[in-house]
C-alpha cells in the first residue's frame, strides 16, 4: 500500500513565502539579523496561521451545535515542543521539509530551537498533554484549563554531581503558539469576609466582600487533532493586577508602595511548584489553585449562558474532569456561584455540581494528598469555607443515618481532619462533590476501593471506576521515532496512527528474518543518534551495541532509582572480580529531576553521579559498563531517549506507582520491561504475556504483609553477600573519596527503615537482570520480544483512555 503523502508543491511555495513574510514583517528581521530562534518563529508562525482558520471553524461549530463540552482542569500541562507536532497534525511534514531546505535550513535543526513548554512536573502533567492530543484527534469538544506559568519546571544542571535548579525562562524569546486575550479578563476575589442579609423575599443570602482582587488574563494555545480539521483550545490563565488595586496607597500618595503591591499580586502565575507527588501547604499554591479554577468556572458558566437559559441543564451540556485534587476548589466555587450569584436552592445547586464534576486520583501515597489548614482557607476564601462546612454537615448527616454508631468511619470520611491544626481533605471533597472517581490503572483503582477510599467505596460504589492511562502514539512513536514508524507504515499502512491496536498486524512478521533485521537496524540507528548526543553533551563515548538500560522519570524514593544503582554496582563488582566472564555490555542511562526541597532524592542524584564517575573511569570495566546521568530530563529529551532504549526500568515498590506512562512509551518503542507488578506494568504484562516481559519482586499484598509483620533490612544483608559488600564499599567512601560520609544517610535509610523495601526485592531483581542479559545475547529472541512489545501496545494509546472517559464519564 502506498501511504506516502502526495507533495503539495503550491503549499511549499506558500510556506516559503509566509516564512519570509513573517520573518520580515512580524519579527522585523532579515537574512543578516535573523537568529536561529527567529527562523524557528518564522516557521512556527506560518504553521500557526494555517491552524487559525480551522480553529475558528471548530469553535464556531461547537458554538452552533451547542454540544456537550468537556473541560479538563489541570494545574499542569507538560506539552513540550509543538512545531513538529503541529506540522504532523496538519499533514505538512514533506512540504515543510522541502520549503525549509529550499530556504537553506534544516527542519530538524529548526525543531531544536523550540523551548519546551515545561508547564508540569512529570507523569500527571504529561498525561494532560496526551489527553489534549487525543481529545482533538477524536473530535471531542474539549478545552484544557490551566495556568500560564512564567517559569515552568526548573532547568536542571548537574554541578559536581549535585542537582542545581535554574529558572527556565521559556517565554523571554516569545511564544509563537499563544494568543493573549488582554481584552478578556476575569476578576478573581481573595480574602475579606462574608456578610449575611435577607433578600426581598425573606431568603437568607450571603455576600462575600473580598478585599484583594486579582485579574485573570486568558492565553489560548490551539490544539490540533490529527488530520481531521479539528482544533481545540488550551486556555491558560495569567495573573494581572487590577487597576483599582490598593487605591488607599495611591490616595495616600505612596505611589511606589501601591505599585509594589500591584506587582506582587501578579506572582500568582509566576512559577510552577516543582514537587511531584509531595504536598506542600504553601499559601501561594492555594492561591494558584483557586485563581485558575475560579477563572475557568466563570468562563465555563459564561459560555454555557450564551446558549442555555436554564442552569439545571448544566450537567447535560458540561463535563468537568479534575486532574487530581489540585482544582478541587472548583466544586465549591461552582456551588458558591450557583447559590450566591444565581440564587439557586442548595439541593438544586448540589445536584448540578455533583453531576458536572468527575475526579481522577493519581496517588494513594499519604504525603501526596492535599489537606489545607482550615485557617488558611478561611482567611483566603471565607465564603468557600462556609460552603465546605455546609457540604460536610449535610454529608455527615447522610452517613450517620447509615452508620449511626461508627464514629471512626464517620471521622475518616469527614471533609475535616481534626487535630491540632484542622484541615480540609481535598480528596474527600472531590469524592463527595463528583459523580465519578477514577484511578489510573487497574491495580490503582482496586487499591482505591480497598484501602484509601474503602469507606467511600462502600457508601458510593457506583462512583468508582478505572481509566488506565495512555500515551499518544502521534508524539511518542510517529514523531519521536521516524525509523520505526516508517517501517511499520510500510508494512501495515498508517491506520495505527489513529487506531493503535492495528499494530498487532505486524505480528505475522515477527519471525521474518528480513523484518527482524530491519527492526534491529532501526534500533541500532536510534542508539547511534543518542550516542552522538551523549558524546556531544557529556564527552563520554558509549557503545551503540551495548544494551541501553534506561530509567528516566522523576527522582523519587518510591521509584527506587537506588535499586537500579545498587544493581549497577553489583554488576561492576562482578565484572571486576571476573565472576561474569562474558558480561553483556550495558549502558545505563538515568535521567530525572528531584524536587528542590527533597533532600533524599537530591542525595540519590549525587550518589548516581558519583557511582557513575567511579565506574566510568575504571578502564577494567569500561567496555562492559557505563552509567550516564542525562541532565534536565524533559519531554524533548524523552523523545530522543525512548526510541534508543533496549530495557525499560519500572521498578517501583509494588502498590506505589499509580500507573506510570513512561513504561508505555518504552513498550511502544520496542524496549523490553524489567519491572515489578505495579501500576500499569501489570496490564503491560497481560498484553504481551509473561514471556515478553521481565517481572520480579514482591507483589502489593506481599509488600503490605511484610510491612505489617515488620520489614527488617538486615535479614536480607545477612543472606546476600554482595549486598553487604556494596554497603561496605559505600561506608568506606569508595564512591565519595573526597566527600567523606556524604552517603551515610542513604545507607542508614536502606539498612534501618527503608519504607520502599529495596533489599527485599534486591535478590530477585539481580537474578532477573541476569535473565535479561542472557536474553539479550540471543539477538533473535530479543528482537522478536521487542516486536511483540510494540505490536501489543495498542491498549496504551491515550485514544483508548479518552474513548473510555467520553463513554463512561463524560457521556459525549
Ligand atoms: C512520560 C513522562 C514522565 C512520566 O514518567 P513515569 O516513568 O511514568 O514516571 C515524566 N516526565 C516526562 C518528561 C515524561 O515524558
Amino acid at each position: 500500500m502506498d501511504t506516502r503523502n502526495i507533495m503539495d508543491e503550491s503549499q511549499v511555495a506558500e510556506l516559503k513565502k509566509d516564512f519570509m513574510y513573517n520573518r520580515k514583517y512580524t519579527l522585523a528581521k532579515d537574512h543578516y539579523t535573523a537568529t536561529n530562534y527567529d527562523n524557528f518563529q518564522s516557521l512556527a508562525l506560518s504553521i500557526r496561521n494555517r491552524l487559525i482558520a480551522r480553529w475558528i471553524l471548530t469553535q464556531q461549530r461547537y458554538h452552533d451545535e451547542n454540544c456537550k463540552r468537556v473541560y479538563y482542569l489541570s494545574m499542569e500541562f507538560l506539552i513540550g515542543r509543538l512545531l513538529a507536532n503541529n506540522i504532523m497534525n496538519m499533514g505538512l511534514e514533506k512540504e515543510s521539509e522541502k520549503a525549509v531546505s529550499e530556504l537553506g535550513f534544516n527542519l530538524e535543526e529548526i525543531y531544536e530551537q523550540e523551548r519546551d513548554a515545561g508547564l508540569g512536573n512529570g507523569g500527571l502533567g504529561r498525561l494532560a498533554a496526551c489527553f489534549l492530543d487525543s481529545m482533538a484527534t477524536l473530535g471531542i469538544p474539549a478545552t484544557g484549563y490551566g495556568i500560564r506559568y512564567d517559569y515552568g519546571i526548573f532547568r536542571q544542571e548537574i554541578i559536581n554531581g549535585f542537582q542545581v535548579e535554574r529558572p527556565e525562562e521559556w517565554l523571554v524569546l516569545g511564544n509563537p503558539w499563544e494568543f493573549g486575550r488582554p481584552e478578556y479578563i476575569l476578576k478573581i476575589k481573595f480574602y475579606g469576609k462574608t456578610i449575611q442579609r435577607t433578600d426581598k423575599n425573606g431568603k437568607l443570602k450571603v455576600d462575600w466582600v473580598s478585599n484583594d482582587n486579582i485579574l485573570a488574563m486568558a492565553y489560548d494555545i490551539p490544539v490540533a487533532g490529527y488530520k481531521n480539521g479539528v482544533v481545540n483550545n488550551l486556555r491558560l490563565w495569567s495573573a494581572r493586577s487590577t487597576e483599582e488595586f490598593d487605591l488607599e496607597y495611591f490616595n495616600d500618595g505612596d505611589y511606589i508602595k501601591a505599585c509594589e503591591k500591584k506587582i506582587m499580586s501578579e506572582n500568582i502565575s509566576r512559577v510552577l511548584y516543582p514537587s511531584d507527588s509531595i504536598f506542600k501547604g504553601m499559601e501561594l499554591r492555594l492561591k494558584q489553585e483557586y485563581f485558575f479554577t475560579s477563572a475557568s468556572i466563570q468562563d465555563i458558566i459564561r459560555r454555557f449562558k450564551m446558549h442555555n437559559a436554564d442552569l439545571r441543564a448544566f450537567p447535560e451540556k458540561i463535563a468537568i474532569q479534575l486532574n487530581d485534587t489540585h482544582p478541587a476548589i472548583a466544586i465549591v466555587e461552582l456551588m458558591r456561584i450557583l447559590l450566591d450569584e444565581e440564587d439557586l436552592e442548595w439541593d438544586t445547586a448540589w445536584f448540578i455540581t455533583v453531576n458536572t464534576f468527575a475526579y481522577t486520583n493519581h496517588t494513594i501515597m499519604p504525603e501526596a494528598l492535599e489537606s489545607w489548614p482550615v485557617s488558611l482557607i478561611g482567611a483566603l476564601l471565607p465564603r468557600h469555607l462556609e460552603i465546605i462546612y455546609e457540604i460536610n454537615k449535610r454529608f455527615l448527616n447522610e452517613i450517620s443515618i447509615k452508620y449511626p454508631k461508627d464514629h471512626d468511619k464517620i471521622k475518616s470520611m469527614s471533609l475535616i481532619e481534626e487535630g491540632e491544626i484542622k484541615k480540609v481533605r481535598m480528596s474527600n471533597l472531590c469524592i463527595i462533590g463528583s459523580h465519578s472517581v477514577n484511578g489510573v490503572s487497574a491495580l490503582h483503582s482496586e487499591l482505591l476501593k480497598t484501602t484509601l477510599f474503602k469507606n467511600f467505596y462502600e457508601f458510593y460504589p457506583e462512583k468508582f471506576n478505572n481509566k488506565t492511562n495512555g500515551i499518544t502514539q502521534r508524539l511518542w512513536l510517529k514523531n519521536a521515532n521516524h525509523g520505526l514508524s516508517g517501517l511499520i507504515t510500510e508494512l501495515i499502512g498508517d491506520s495505527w496512527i489513529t487506531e493503535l491496536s492495528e499494530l498487532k498486524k505486524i505480528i505475522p512478521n515477527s519471525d521474518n528474518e528480513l523484518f527482524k533485521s530491519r527492526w534491529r537496524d532501526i534500533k541500532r540507528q536510534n542508539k547511534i543518534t543518542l550516542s552522538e548526543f551523549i558524546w556531544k553533551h557529556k564527552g563520554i563515548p558509549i557503545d551503540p551495541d551495548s544494551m541501553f538500560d534506561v530509567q528516566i522519570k522523576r527522582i523519587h524514593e518510591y521509584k527506587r532509582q537506588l535499586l537500579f544503582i545498587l544493581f549497577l554496582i553489583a554488576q561492576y563488582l562482578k565484572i571486576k572480580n571476573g565472576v561474569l566472564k562474558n558480561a553483556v555490555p550495558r549502558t545505563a542511562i538515568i535521567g530525572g529531576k528531584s524536587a528542590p526541597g527533597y533532600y533524599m532524592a537530591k542525595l540519590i542524584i549525587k550518589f548516581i553521579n558519583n557511582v557513575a564517575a567511579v565506574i566510568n573511569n575504571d578502564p577494567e570495566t569500561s567496555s562492559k559498563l557505563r552509567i550516564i546521568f542525562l541532565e534536565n530530563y524533559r519531554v524533548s529529551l524523552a523523545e530522543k531517549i525512548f526510541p534508543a532504549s533496549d530495557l525499560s526500568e519500572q521498578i517501583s515498590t509494588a502498590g506505589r506507582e499509580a500507573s506510570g506512562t513512561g513504561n508505555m512509551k518504552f513498550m511502544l518503542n520496542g524496549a523490553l520491561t524489567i519491572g515489578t507488578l505495579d501500576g500499569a506494568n501489570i496490564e503491560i504484562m497481560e498484553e504481551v504475556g509473561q514471556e515478553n516481559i521481565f517481572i520480579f519482586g514482591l507483589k502489593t499484598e506481599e509488600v503490605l504483609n511484610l510491612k505489617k509483620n515488620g520489614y527488617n533490612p538486615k535479614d536480607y544483608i545477612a543472606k546476600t553477600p554482595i549486598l553487604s559488600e556494596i554497603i561496605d564499599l559505600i561506608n568506606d567512601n569508595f564512591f565519595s573519596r573526597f566527600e567523606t560520609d556524604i552517603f551515610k544517610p542513604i545507607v542508614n535509610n536502606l539498612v534501618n527503615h527503608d519504607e520502599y523495601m529495596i533489599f527485599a526485592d534486591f535478590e530477585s531483581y539481580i537474578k532477573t537482570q541476569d535473565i535479561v542479559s542472557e536474553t539479550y545475547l540471543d539477538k533473535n529472541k530479543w528482537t522478536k520480544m521487542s516486536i511483540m512489545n510494540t505490536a501489543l501496545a495498542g491498549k496504551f494509546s491515550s485514544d483508548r483512555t479518552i474513548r473510555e472517559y467520553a463513554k463512561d464519564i463524560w457521556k459525549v
Side-chain angles (χ1 to χ4, degrees):
M1 172 161 42
D2 186 3
T3 51
R4 282 170 298 171
N5 295 326
I6 309 298
M7 172 89 69
D8 183 344
E9 290 293 344
S10 70
Q11 273 288 358
V12 176
E14 285 288 313
L15 273 171
K16 283 164 70 179
K17 207 175 87 198
D18 289 3
F19 181 103
M20 298 309 285
Y21 181 92
N22 281 319
R23 196 166 78 174
K24 186 168 176 185
Y25 292 102
T26 314
L27 304 172
K29 291 291 182 81
D30 64 14
H31 175 68
Y32 299 102
T33 52
T35 63
N36 292 335
Y37 193 80
D38 290 327
N39 291 327
F40 153 71
Q41 286 214 86
S42 304
L43 181 59
L45 291 167
S46 310
I47 298 297
R48 185 185 83 166
N49 286 345
R50 285 165 172 70
L51 286 172
I52 293 177
R54 300 180 189 193
W55 193 16
I56 291 172
L57 271 173
T58 303
Q59 301 305 319
Q60 187 67 47
R61 180 166 59 79
Y62 294 162
H63 181 92
D64 294 342
E65 291 175 3
N66 188 20
C67 46
K68 183 167 188 179
R69 291 173 188 259
V70 173
Y71 295 108
Y72 197 81
L73 267 57
S74 178
M75 284 286 271
E76 306 188 11
F77 287 92
L78 190 51
I79 47 189
R81 293 172 173 165
L82 294 178
L83 179 56
N85 207 69
N86 283 334
I87 286 177
M88 167 181 66
N89 285 2
M90 300 287 289
L92 290 170
E93 288 151 302
K94 295 212 160 51
E95 289 77 4
S96 301
E97 198 166 333
K98 184 150 190 233
V100 162
S101 86
E102 286 181 8
L103 290 166
F105 305 110
N106 173 296
L107 189 55
E108 290 296 324
E109 280 166 23
I110 286 188
Y111 287 160
E112 284 300 310
Q113 299 305 314
E114 184 169 1
R115 314 290 281 271
D116 278 43
L119 307 183
N121 275 288
L124 175 150
R126 182 56 232 176
L127 183 76
C130 284
F131 280 4
L132 290 177
D133 183 82
S134 286
M135 291 187 294
T137 296
L138 293 172
I140 294 173
T143 299
Y145 277 115
I147 297 176
R148 178 183 179 271
Y149 301 105
D150 296 319
Y151 299 92
I153 189 67
F154 62 84
R155 185 163 49 79
Q156 178 192 54
E157 282 183 21
I158 301 295
I159 297 181
N160 184 31
F162 290 102
Q163 167 174 299
V164 176
E165 301 89 24
R166 304 279 189 217
E168 179 62 274
E169 305 200 44
W170 73 293
L171 289 170
V172 288
L173 294 174
N175 173 9
W177 302 115
E178 68 181 11
F179 292 82
R181 312 286 193 197
E183 78 288 359
Y184 187 57
I185 47 178
L186 295 169
K187 189 168 94 177
I188 315 297
K189 304 203 286 183
F190 287 104
Y191 300 106
K193 59 182 180 194
T194 61
I195 297 170
Q196 298 196 349
R197 63 179 164 86
T198 339
D199 72 3
K200 55 182 184 300
N201 304 319
K203 192 175 151 194
L204 186 70
K205 298 289 301 176
V206 182
D207 294 321
W208 172 22
V209 187
S210 65
N211 60 18
D212 200 352
N213 299 333
I214 289 164
L215 300 178
M217 173 177 156
Y219 282 83
D220 291 336
I221 298 176
V223 180
Y226 181 75
K227 293 185 183 170
N228 64 352
V230 172
V231 182
N232 283 342
N233 196 14
L234 170 59
R235 175 158 281 186
L236 302 178
W237 301 103
S238 180
R240 293 287 177 274
S241 57
T242 51
E243 191 82 21
E244 79 273 16
F245 200 82
D246 271 301
L247 220 49
E248 302 158 48
Y249 286 117
F250 279 109
N251 291 344
D252 290 350
D254 198 341
Y255 173 72
I256 295 295
K257 188 120 188 192
C259 287
E260 259 173 30
K261 284 211 75 176
K262 258 173 79 73
I263 291 163
M264 286 286 283
S265 68
E266 300 187 345
N267 283 343
I268 285 190
S269 58
R270 200 70 73 203
V271 55
L272 165 75
Y273 277 89
S275 30
D276 188 66
S277 304
I278 302 170
F279 172 67
K280 292 255 161 52
M282 308 295 284
E283 179 168 2
L284 184 59
R285 167 78 177 198
L286 181 60
K287 282 186 176 175
Q288 289 184 335
E289 294 185 353
Y290 180 64
F291 165 77
F292 102 93
T293 281
S294 172
S296 308
I297 296 292
Q298 289 183 51
D299 202 29
I300 292 167
I301 293 175
R302 176 194 58 83
R303 194 173 295 114
F304 172 84
K305 284 185 165 179
M306 286 161 61
H307 315 280
N308 305 282
D310 190 345
L311 279 161
R312 283 171 298 184
F314 210 74
E316 279 132 59
K317 292 291 174 187
I318 289 164
I320 303 178
Q321 192 69 37
L322 303 173
N323 196 20
D324 213 318
T325 58
H326 314 148
I329 198 73
I331 291 169
V332 191
E333 176 70 351
L334 182 59
M335 281 299 286
R336 183 188 69 82
I337 295 174
L338 296 179
L339 294 169
D340 298 352
E341 294 176 12
E342 301 293 341
D343 249 353
L344 296 184
E345 298 296 328
W346 180 279
D347 289 337
T348 312
W350 186 243
F351 179 87
I352 291 169
T353 300
V354 171
N355 286 291
T356 298
F357 283 102
Y359 158 54
T360 303
N361 172 280
H362 283 271
T363 177
I364 60 171
M365 296 200 303
E367 67 267 31
L369 299 179
E370 285 193 292
S371 61
W372 290 101
V374 162
S375 56
L376 192 55
I377 296 187
L380 194 66
L381 307 168
R383 178 57 180 146
H384 295 76
L385 185 61
E386 291 175 1
I387 294 171
I388 288 169
Y389 272 123
E390 183 65 24
I391 294 171
N392 202 37
K393 192 182 97 191
R394 289 165 184 256
F395 175 68
L396 294 181
N397 278 341
E398 210 181 318
I399 58 174
S400 304
I401 295 168
K402 184 157 179 193
Y403 313 112
K405 298 236 161 52
D406 199 339
H407 293 293
D408 283 348
K409 184 171 276 181
I410 293 170
K411 218 172 117 185
S412 85
M413 294 171 82
S414 171
L415 282 185
I416 307 297
E417 180 188 310
E418 302 292 340
E420 209 173 315
I421 302 172
K422 268 199 199 182
K423 291 175 175 165
V424 179
R425 296 172 174 137
M426 304 310 263
S427 55
N428 292 19
L429 173 62
C430 285
I431 300 169
I432 298 165
S434 302
H435 63 284
S436 165
V437 178
N438 75 281
V440 290
S441 72
L443 173 69
H444 169 59
S445 296
E446 279 310 305
L447 287 172
L448 287 182
K449 294 193 290 187
T450 51
T451 62
L452 186 64
F453 299 150
K454 186 173 189 291
N455 293 334
F456 283 105
Y457 175 59
E458 195 182 286
F459 192 69
Y460 295 127
E462 71 290 349
K463 288 194 185 187
F464 284 77
N465 65 95
N466 172 245
K467 295 288 167 282
T468 299
N469 282 166
I471 56 168
T472 168
Q473 66 268 29
R474 268 105 33 207
L475 177 67
W476 295 112
L477 182 55
K478 187 169 192 305
N479 245 351
N481 196 342
H482 290 144
L484 202 60
S485 59
L487 176 64
I488 291 168
T489 298
E490 191 186 310
L491 186 69
I492 63 167
D494 63 4
S495 57
W496 61 272
I497 298 169
T498 49
E499 184 47 71
L500 196 62
S501 57
E502 293 280 300
L503 283 181
K504 63 179 180 301
K505 289 185 179 162
I506 68 174
I507 292 176
N509 284 268
S510 62
D511 285 315
N512 177 313
E513 292 308 317
L514 179 63
F515 185 74
K516 279 197 284 194
S517 99
R518 288 184 70 191
W519 190 273
R520 249 193 314 270
D521 288 349
I522 287 162
K523 181 65 81 180
R524 186 162 192 281
Q525 193 52 53
N526 292 339
K527 289 165 74 176
I528 290 172
T529 306
L530 184 62
S531 306
E532 288 166 356
F533 178 90
I534 290 171
W535 172 247
K536 184 170 153 210
H537 289 271
K538 302 201 62 113
I540 302 174
I542 58 176
D543 172 9
D545 291 317
S546 62
M547 181 202 303
F548 282 19
D549 180 358
V550 184
Q551 190 176 28
I552 42 176
K553 47 180 78 249
R554 287 296 289 247
I555 310 292
H556 212 299
E557 286 166 285
Y558 85 82
K559 292 176 182 279
R560 300 202 295 191
Q561 278 88 2
L562 273 179
L563 178 57
F564 188 32
I565 203 83
L566 292 183
F567 154 68
L568 294 169
I569 296 171
Q571 191 76 353
Y572 170 69
L573 295 176
K574 285 187 202 165
I575 297 167
K576 234 178 141 54
N577 298 335
V579 182
L580 287 178
K581 279 285 171 284
N582 279 320
V584 175
R586 288 201 194 215
T587 302
I589 297 172
I590 305 173
K593 292 171 184 174
S594 158
Y598 188 167
Y599 170 78
M600 198 45 95
K602 291 182 100 167
L603 193 57
I604 290 169
I605 291 178
K606 171 66 174 166
F607 185 57
I608 294 168
N609 281 300
N610 277 28
V611 171
V614 169
I615 293 180
N616 294 344
N617 284 314
D618 189 333
E620 261 179 46
T621 57
S622 66
S623 66
K624 297 291 187 193
L625 184 62
R626 291 208 182 265
I627 303 178
I628 308 293
F629 188 92
L630 281 180
E631 61 191 55
N632 202 26
Y633 178 55
R634 61 197 184 282
V635 173
S636 61
L637 183 55
E639 291 173 55
K640 297 177 171 69
I641 301 173
F642 287 110
S645 299
D646 294 307
L647 187 64
S648 159
E649 297 279 345
Q650 307 300 335
I651 59 179
S652 51
T653 315
R656 303 299 178 110
E657 188 74 271
S659 163
T661 49
N663 47 5
M664 301 167 187
K665 301 167 198 166
F666 279 110
M667 178 195 198
L668 186 59
N669 281 281
L672 310 192
T673 301
I674 181 165
T676 47
L677 285 174
D678 199 14
N681 298 350
I682 296 173
E683 289 157 82
I684 290 176
M685 180 184 76
E686 286 168 5
E687 294 301 300
V688 298
Q690 304 210 13
E691 68 281 14
N692 289 313
I693 190 167
F694 305 99
I695 296 294
F696 71 94
L698 298 178
K699 302 179 181 60
T700 304
E701 206 189 77
E702 294 166 337
V703 169
L704 296 175
N705 283 336
L706 186 54
K707 196 183 165 91
K708 203 165 63 200
N709 302 331
Y711 163 61
N712 187 0
K714 296 194 176 87
D715 297 347
Y716 299 90
I717 304 173
K719 61 179 188 203
T720 322
I722 192 134
L723 209 43
S724 47
E725 201 181 330
I726 293 170
I727 291 163
D728 289 345
L729 272 186
I730 305 172
N731 280 333
D732 293 345
N733 287 297
F734 185 75
F735 302 108
S736 44
R737 276 277 160 264
F738 306 104
E739 299 159 299
T740 310
D741 292 347
I742 54 166
F743 300 128
K744 271 267 150 68
I746 289 181
V747 175
N748 181 39
N749 211 32
L750 286 173
V751 172
N752 296 311
H753 34 68
D754 174 19
E755 250 210 84
Y756 306 97
M757 303 182 179
I758 287 180
F759 290 174
D761 278 344
F762 182 77
E763 205 182 333
S764 157
Y765 180 52
I766 299 283
K767 282 197 176 133
T768 308
Q769 284 286 18
D770 286 340
I771 298 171
V772 171
S773 292
E774 215 175 283
T775 312
Y776 193 74
L777 285 174
D778 185 345
K779 289 280 163 250
N780 249 325
K781 183 172 180 194
W782 187 279
T783 306
K784 174 154 188 188
M785 290 172 76
S786 167
I787 295 169
M788 294 305 282
N789 269 266
T790 301
L792 296 165
K795 174 174 180 183
F796 304 105
S797 169
S798 46
D799 298 345
R800 187 271 311 151
T801 313
I802 288 299
R803 279 197 196 98
E804 291 178 4
Y805 275 95
K807 176 168 172 285
D808 303 339
I809 303 177
W810 305 333
K811 318 280 184 206
V812 291

